[in-house]
Amino acid sequence: MPTLWLARLSLAHFRNYEQGSLDLEPRPVLLTGANGAGKTNLLEAISLLGPGRGLRRAKAPEFQKLDQDRPWAVSARVEAPGGSRQIGTGRDPAASGGERRLIRIDGRNERAQSALTEILDIVWLTPQMDGLWREAAGERRRFLDRLVFAFDPAHAGRVSGYESSIRQRARLLQEGGADPHWLAALEEGLAERGVAIAAARRALVARLNRAIQGDGQSGFPKCGLSLSGELDHWLAEEKALAVEERLRAAFFDSRTRDAQQGGASVGPQRSDLAARHLEKDCPAQLCSTGEQKALLVGLVLAHARLIAIERGRPPLLLLDEVAAHLDATRRETLYDEILSLGLQAWLTGTEPAVFDPLVDAALAFEVTEGQVRST
């Protein structure tokens, strides 16, 4: 039985949903229906119960139902080890353009989205992530940062603050004539944040590697993770305070080049996450499409397992169209691991038959044009 699960999910004016709610049980949830019916929209709504922009990385106005002016909202009753909690998010009607989200926990407004991580963790896989190992490095950094959030909620603020300061520095350098003392202070803050970001990524990669390599029961291929980037190499050689000073000096030395090229030539934004298929000793990007998918599923399950162990509660697991891209053996392995981990996993698919091995242990719903009914 999951020790953390959504007992009720409610939506209002969200994507193609006018209004409605689902009453749930502590077991996996299956959502089937035609493409475009709204299955992924439900998963996206759940993903917004955590910090960030959700599984599609959309802006807040995009969640609004097109023919509805009343603000969109998503809320849930969460059953957790400490008892029931009520959480919700939605468009702030007082904010210009509807860009800002409101966060509400147990009837009180919260200023920071990171407060949501104190109640639940959410992990997801979508079809858009299938090419993760072949995509640009930025996609892998965002993927890794989302994994870090589960263990270090402050990481999200550091990343957004660092990105904002990097843009500010680039603008000052390109405009020229910036106050050198102001620029030095900006670079000092960038060095501090940048090293903290890189250190948090490095720490999680090490923990995931230990979890993956020490798990003898997973039916998915094991992947070995590594970080590549100048800052990552420095952290392998020196302590964090020394690396901060080294990064600050690198920012100073690269001002002329960065003014010409834009951005910054050093820092955590230059890091990349690499993976290897350990049994084959092969880089993930050179594996078959099926093997790359299996490596990614295995990694996400290892992350979920680590959350359950270290935080004392399992995450919610959102799997969008994952089963259709696995063979029958791997599908059964996935379902077995979901049940053994005690997760409330939410799985979508167009064909109910792919869920046959799991159907007796799950709640099943059919989604049709923004309507959901139990089957």
Side-chain angles (χ1 to χ4, degrees):
M1 293 278 286
T3 55
L4 184 144
W5 50 286
L6 300 188
R8 186 178 179 84
L9 175 69
S10 300
L11 306 179
H13 322 308
F14 183 88
R15 295 286 192 182
N16 67 330
Y17 289 89
E18 179 64 36
Q19 203 155 5
S21 60
L22 292 177
D23 290 309
L24 303 158
E25 299 174 13
R27 46 184 175 142
V29 179
L30 310 177
L31 303 171
T32 59
N35 291 327
K39 304 184 300 295
T40 304
N41 291 344
L42 275 175
L43 298 194
E44 182 179 40
I46 296 169
S47 72
L48 293 173
L49 296 173
R53 290 164 55 183
L55 57 79
R56 285 190 177 115
R57 301 191 68 248
K59 295 181 179 179
E62 297 176 42
F63 304 131
Q64 186 68 44
K65 194 173 189 295
L66 293 179
D67 59 354
Q68 181 57 254
D69 292 330
R70 285 178 291 178
W72 65 269
V74 178
S75 64
R77 188 174 85 248
V78 181
E79 297 296 337
S84 296
R85 306 293 299 274
Q86 189 72 33
I87 63 175
T89 186
R91 193 187 88 198
D92 183 353
S96 175
E99 290 285 350
R100 193 170 64 192
R101 282 171 56 193
L102 290 173
I103 305 295
R104 198 165 176 82
I105 299 177
D106 295 332
R108 298 185 304 274
N109 289 335
E110 295 284 346
R111 295 182 62 184
Q113 293 185 20
S114 59
L116 293 166
T117 62
E118 298 303 316
I119 298 173
L120 81 166
D121 302 294
I122 307 171
V123 178
W124 61 76
L125 268 178
T126 69
Q128 290 71 33
M129 295 165 63
D130 286 355
L132 182 71
W133 308 120
R134 302 186 303 273
E135 298 287 347
E139 292 299 319
R140 288 184 289 277
R141 285 194 298 271
R142 278 190 287 271
F143 170 76
L144 178 58
D145 285 335
R146 197 170 67 248
L147 301 186
V148 174
F149 294 164
F151 300 97
D152 184 0
H155 186 72
R158 287 194 294 265
V159 170
S160 63
Y162 179 88
E163 291 173 347
S164 176
S165 296
I166 277 290
R167 290 191 295 269
Q168 183 181 4
R169 175 180 180 268
R171 186 171 60 253
L172 291 173
L173 291 176
Q174 290 179 326
E175 291 173 353
D179 182 339
H181 297 291
W182 171 250
L183 198 54
L186 182 62
E187 290 173 344
E188 184 174 353
L190 277 168
E192 182 179 350
R193 274 202 185 108
V195 171
I197 290 166
R201 290 172 177 170
R202 179 176 164 82
L204 182 62
V205 164
R207 290 154 73 189
L208 280 171
N209 279 333
R210 289 194 295 270
I212 292 168
Q213 295 172 28
D215 179 12
Q217 298 183 6
S218 176
F220 288 89
K222 298 178 185 295
C223 68
L225 302 173
S226 61
L227 285 164
S228 61
E230 194 171 23
L231 183 55
D232 304 296
H233 296 315
W234 293 349
L235 279 169
E237 298 168 353
E238 302 179 78
K239 293 185 177 181
L241 287 176
V243 176
E244 278 185 28
E245 178 59 28
R246 192 170 176 179
L247 182 57
R248 187 203 58 75
F251 281 133
F252 178 84
D253 293 340
S254 65
R255 286 179 184 177
T256 301
R257 179 175 54 191
D258 292 346
Q260 294 171 346
Q261 298 179 354
S265 53
V266 293
Q269 78 283 357
R270 297 293 180 179
S271 296
D272 194 5
L273 175 68
R276 295 186 72 83
H277 190 307
L278 293 179
E279 287 89 344
K280 290 192 168 186
D281 192 24
C282 177
Q285 67 269 24
L286 299 182
C287 293
S288 70
T289 302
E291 288 173 329
Q292 290 184 34
K293 180 74 173 193
L295 284 167
L296 187 56
V297 172
L299 173 56
V300 167
L301 289 172
H303 181 246
R305 197 175 298 114
L306 198 59
I307 291 173
I309 292 170
E310 296 199 9
R311 293 179 68 86
R313 66 190 191 205
L316 297 180
L317 182 60
L318 311 180
L319 301 176
D320 192 19
E321 295 287 352
V322 169
H325 302 284
L326 299 174
D327 59 40
T329 301
R330 285 260 164 81
R331 282 200 297 267
E332 291 197 32
T333 298
L334 172 62
Y335 302 154
D336 287 344
E337 296 214 18
I338 287 171
L339 295 175
S340 69
L341 283 169
L343 298 168
Q344 189 188 54
W346 293 66
L347 300 94
T348 71
T350 56
E351 299 297 330
V354 299
F355 300 126
D356 282 350
L358 186 60
V359 72
D360 290 339
L363 287 176
F365 296 93
E366 182 180 11
V367 182
T368 309
E369 298 180 357
Q371 301 291 323
V372 185
R373 67 177 184 87
S374 179
T375 60

